[in-house]
Amino acid sequence: MIDFHCHLDLYPNPDGAALAAHRQSRFVLSVTTTPSAFEGTKALANGRPQIHTALGLHPQLAAQRYRELRIFDELAPTTPYIGEIGLDGAPENRATWRKQLDVFEHILKTCSGLGGRIMSIHSRRASAGVLDLLRSYPDSGVAVLHWFSGSSRDLDRAVEHGCWFSVGPPMVNSERGRALIERMPKDRVLTETDGPFAQKDGRPLVPADAERAAKGLAELWGVDDSEASATLLDNLSRLTASASAP
Ligand code: MN
C-alpha cells in the first residue's frame, strides 16, 4: 500500500507509527511541516527503506517559520522529496497570505535551481494561487496536489499543467471528492492518508488506511482491487523514476 502524504513525526508515538508503516506499507512519503523537523523525522526512516522523508514548510506555519528557509535551502539538495508546502486560503490564514506566497515562491525557486523535485502540495482554498505559481516555475519539478479540494475548473488546469494527485479516504468518501477524482487522469493518481490530521470515527488515520482510498478508487474506476493496486504501483514507479538525484 502507498501512503504518499502522512506526518509520521506528528503521531503521539512517532517511532511506533513508523514501525507499523514499515511493516504494512509498500511506500510511505513522510512529510514535514518545518525544515527544522526534517532531520529528526528522517531518523524515523532509518533501516526502513519504504519510508521516504520530504522536506517541507507548511503554509500555515509560513509566517512563523519563514526564517527556516535558510535550513530549507541547506537541506533541499539532500532529498528528492519536498513537502508539505503550498498555500492555504482559509479565512483564518488570510492574514499570512503575503508571507505564504513569499515562502512558496522561494521554495519553488530553490527546487528549480536543483533541477526539480517531487513536491507534495497543500492547496486548500488556494488552488488558483498554487497553480499560478507552479506555472511561473515550470522547472520546479513534479507537483503532487494532496487532498485537492478546489473547483473542477482548477482541477482541469492542474491536469493541463501536468500535476499529479494524492487521494485519501475522506476524498473517496465524499461526493465532491469523488466527482473530482473522476476528472483526474488515472495514470497520475496516488493514495495518501494525511494522518494523523485526517481522522475516521475519532481515530487518526494511519498509513495502512491508504488501502481504503485504494478500494474507493477501484470502485470509481470500475476495476477490481488488484487492478487498481497495480495501476497505483505503476504510477508510483513512473513518478519516483523521475526523482532526480540524490
Ligand atoms: Mn498534511
Side-chain angles (χ1 to χ4, degrees):
M1 200 37 51
I2 301 161
D3 185 351
F4 208 76
H5 182 114
C6 69
H7 300 262
L8 290 181
D9 62 331
L10 301 181
Y11 286 90
N13 174 0
D15 197 63
L19 180 62
H22 162 70
R23 289 187 173 144
Q24 298 164 351
S25 305
R26 180 76 169 259
F27 185 105
V28 172
L29 187 66
S30 164
V31 301
T32 53
T33 56
T34 63
S36 55
F38 180 75
E39 295 287 9
T41 305
K42 198 178 160 195
L44 297 171
N46 282 345
R48 296 163 179 164
Q50 335 55 329
I51 304 178
H52 302 262
T53 312
L55 169 67
L57 207 174
H58 195 287
Q60 291 170 10
L61 296 171
Q64 220 177 307
R65 300 297 190 102
Y66 68 93
R67 288 178 199 86
E68 291 188 27
L69 282 172
R70 213 179 319 134
I71 308 174
F72 184 95
D73 289 350
E74 273 169 34
L75 294 171
T78 72
T79 171
Y81 298 105
I82 299 297
E84 178 166 3
I85 57 169
L87 298 172
D88 191 306
E92 64 272 27
N93 297 308
R94 272 276 151 197
T96 63
W97 182 251
R98 193 64 249 171
K99 207 69 183 177
Q100 292 185 47
L101 287 171
D102 289 348
V103 166
F104 187 38
E105 186 163 16
H106 178 109
I107 289 171
L108 294 176
K109 257 185 217 165
T110 298
C111 292
S112 304
L114 293 167
R117 287 291 183 261
I118 295 174
M119 305 175 288
S120 183
I121 300 184
H122 176 111
S123 58
R124 182 173 66 145
R125 299 221 198 173
S127 45
V130 164
L131 290 167
D132 288 344
L133 269 179
L134 287 176
R135 285 164 81 129
S136 307
Y137 292 91
D139 300 326
S140 55
V142 184
V144 183
L145 301 182
H146 118 81
W147 200 337
F148 182 87
S149 58
S151 64
S152 47
R153 190 172 154 269
D154 284 343
L155 177 67
D156 295 347
R157 275 183 74 204
V159 171
E160 203 184 311
H161 178 75
C163 294
W164 286 57
F165 303 90
S166 58
V167 163
M171 248 187 119
V172 301
N173 290 330
S174 85
E175 205 170 310
R176 195 153 175 275
R178 284 196 297 270
L180 289 168
I181 292 166
E182 279 176 339
R183 297 177 88 94
M184 297 173 184
K186 260 172 85 169
D187 60 356
R188 279 193 249 152
V189 173
L190 295 167
T191 48
E192 67 160 46
T193 62
D194 203 14
F197 291 118
Q199 308 212 334
K200 165 98 177 142
D201 305 327
R203 164 184 81 77
L205 294 183
V206 296
D209 290 316
E211 176 107 43
R212 297 162 186 263
K215 282 187 183 301
L217 286 171
E219 237 178 85
L220 280 166
W221 291 341
V223 299
D224 62 27
D225 290 354
S226 65
E227 190 178 332
S229 146
T231 298
L232 291 164
L233 285 171
D234 181 64
N235 291 350
L236 178 71
S237 57
R238 275 183 295 107
L239 179 68
T240 53
S242 76
S244 60

